[in-house]
Amino acid sequence: MSDPLPKTDRPTREEAEAAVRTMLRWAGEDPDREGLHDTPARVTRAYEEFFQGYEIDPKTLLERTFSEVEGYDEIVLLRDIRFESHCEHHLAPIIGRAHVAYLPRQRVVGISKLARVVDAYARRMQIQERLTAQIANTINDVLQPHGTAVIIESSHECMTTRGVHRPGVSMVTSQMLGTFRTNSDTRRELMAMLNRPAASEY
């Protein structure tokens, strides 16, 4: 589940900055030259931002729900949630979009919370398959809807800027739970909703 290490087990900021200086020297640079003098501190601050998901418990984001929905019992879909993550194998960026849907039983959650769950898991060292499953499983466990679906499309810089160098390639993963897995009609309805015009086109 990518649980964070206890803070007592983590290196200090000074140790982190020293590690960046070592990497600069290993790459053939002089960390003391003017342009790189503040780079270790900048990189450390950037890592705090990139990986702030380790400081968040995604389940707590979904704890507040609403029951006054006038009997609404159809699909709730939040499309095109842009996210930024990092591949755990090379620490290269993963840039993508997540589509998150659930079929509520009696209660719904604020839609911003769905986006926050995506970010909480994306801002960790990830592989896309695990990211997809974590988002879906958390929503399913906390909200206990009739079904949950998560589809992620993303570009992996570890593949486009190094290795096989294949720009323009996207990876798609999905996790279907509950009725989205067992009911083909519900799954088709979801896919039809995903193919409708974007909100900016209304």
Side-chain angles (χ1 to χ4, degrees):
M1 204 66 172
S2 291
D3 290 331
L5 284 172
K7 289 189 176 181
T8 53
D9 292 342
R10 299 189 200 179
T12 64
R13 179 178 296 274
E14 290 75 18
E15 289 172 322
E17 292 182 10
V20 176
R21 288 176 60 85
T22 298
M23 287 297 292
L24 291 172
R25 290 175 54 225
W26 177 83
E29 266 290 358
D30 175 9
D32 291 319
R33 73 174 175 85
E34 182 180 6
L36 293 175
H37 187 266
D38 294 325
T39 295
R42 292 192 187 104
V43 171
T44 302
R45 288 195 299 271
Y47 266 45
E48 284 181 319
E49 183 176 348
F50 293 157
F51 303 119
Q52 63 184 343
Y54 289 114
E55 304 298 326
I56 301 170
D57 179 356
K59 290 187 176 181
T60 64
L61 299 172
L62 300 171
E63 287 178 348
R64 185 182 181 191
T65 59
F66 305 93
S67 59
E68 296 178 357
V69 294
E70 299 295 332
Y72 183 85
D73 59 357
E74 298 293 333
I75 294 172
V76 176
L77 168 64
L78 191 62
R79 300 189 311 180
D80 298 318
I81 307 168
R82 187 184 185 278
F83 69 86
E84 302 161 6
S85 189
H86 284 79
C87 163
E88 69 178 30
H89 300 141
H90 303 96
L91 299 186
I94 302 171
I95 309 297
R97 295 179 301 160
H99 314 291
V100 177
Y102 68 100
L103 191 60
R105 290 185 185 272
Q106 296 175 327
R107 306 182 69 84
V108 298
V109 70
I111 58 173
S112 68
K113 301 303 189 294
L114 299 177
R116 291 179 184 275
V117 170
V118 172
D119 276 343
Y121 283 119
R123 291 186 178 273
R124 302 180 181 195
M125 297 178 192
Q126 281 290 8
I127 61 171
Q128 185 171 324
E129 296 89 339
R130 183 175 64 225
L131 174 63
T132 307
Q134 286 176 329
I135 295 167
N137 289 335
T138 296
I139 292 170
N140 208 59
D141 290 347
V142 178
L143 299 185
Q144 297 188 342
H146 290 291
T148 304
V150 175
I151 300 172
I152 291 180
E153 310 167 60
S154 71
S155 171
H156 291 242
E157 297 302 305
C158 61
M159 182 175 176
T160 63
T161 62
R162 59 160 301 282
V164 295
H165 289 275
R166 290 293 185 272
V169 175
S170 62
M171 179 175 177
V172 181
T173 51
S174 67
Q175 179 87 347
M176 304 284 173
L177 302 174
T179 191
F180 288 108
R181 177 185 288 270
T182 60
N183 189 315
S184 59
D185 290 338
T186 304
R187 192 161 56 249
R188 276 195 295 269
E189 181 182 355
L190 170 64
M191 301 313 292
M193 293 172 72
L194 285 170
N195 288 327
R196 289 176 184 171
S200 59
E201 299 177 36
Y202 284 110

